[in-house]
Amino acid sequence: EERRYRTGMDADTLPEMVGDSHVYDGMAEIFTNGPLPSLAMPLEALQTLKVRPGSLTTFAARPGAGKSAMLAAVALAAAREGWAVRFLTLEMPTAEVRHRLVSADSGLPLSVVGDPQERTGEVVAAVERFNGLPMWLSDMSSSGGELERIMRESASFAATHERPVLVLDYLQ
């Protein structure tokens, strides 16, 4: 059965409309397979933002405005939905990022998650739940944030995972 979407067109009418083969291939895929999946944003105010495979979404704000917290929320939302998430950080060590993500995922205070003396059953369960998410953390700060390394690791990750999401915290 042939699919038709809002435009009433089908994949057979695309070549007449679109001359660029890259655009045609992308549009033909949408007509054939349906709309690309999009990542649900973690905050209601951002629900209209559609993050889809191959798209670039940038969060920018002044220092201390919560960009890292927003990226953590986006990464957690993606991982909970089964997207493979690579979180590259140039701003803080991965241990700190992990503590923040476990805290955000579990609702436990960051001071409890990061304190070795607070390793209660609740914290251990939160860490185990977080470790089960499809998320990989990389500290890029020691490499000086070399663009070539970031690109190489990102391309490798995208090539080896279905539905990859790359989160890069702090790129100047």
Side-chain angles (χ1 to χ4, degrees):
E1 175 181 275
E2 194 170 303
R3 292 186 185 177
R4 291 181 184 267
Y5 294 92
R6 281 186 272 169
T7 60
M9 296 177 285
D10 59 45
D12 294 333
T13 61
L14 282 175
E16 300 166 12
M17 296 176 48
V18 183
D20 185 305
S21 65
H22 176 72
V23 173
Y24 168 75
D25 291 343
M27 291 178 70
E29 182 177 339
I30 291 170
F31 277 108
T32 304
N33 300 326
L36 294 172
S38 63
L39 174 62
M41 288 287 106
L43 301 175
E44 187 176 331
L46 297 176
Q47 288 300 314
T48 58
L49 179 65
K50 299 295 182 193
V51 178
R52 293 193 165 93
S55 68
L56 173 66
T57 303
T58 304
F59 293 101
R62 294 179 110 14
K67 295 177 299 295
S68 294
M70 172 61 73
L71 290 174
V74 169
L76 283 170
R80 287 179 187 140
E81 289 184 19
W83 294 70
V85 177
R86 182 69 177 262
F87 195 112
L88 303 171
T89 177
L90 285 87
E91 190 166 279
M92 63 185 87
T94 54
E96 185 177 344
V97 172
R98 183 177 307 280
H99 290 153
R100 288 174 178 233
L101 288 167
V102 169
S103 174
D105 186 44
S106 66
L108 295 170
L110 182 59
S111 60
V112 170
V113 172
D115 185 351
Q117 296 178 347
E118 294 284 344
R119 297 296 171 182
T120 64
E122 192 176 18
V123 172
V124 170
V127 169
E128 288 175 359
R129 193 171 46 252
F130 174 78
N131 287 340
L133 293 173
M135 187 181 306
W136 294 263
L137 306 177
S138 295
D139 182 353
M140 304 295 281
S141 62
S142 62
S143 70
E146 299 168 16
L147 184 57
E148 294 81 18
R149 180 174 170 214
I150 293 169
M151 291 173 56
R152 188 173 51 252
E153 288 195 21
S154 301
S156 174
F157 185 76
T160 57
H161 292 85
E162 190 172 325
R163 295 185 354 145
V165 173
L166 174 68
V167 175
L168 177 58
D169 190 14
Y170 197 71
L171 179 64
Q172 289 190 7

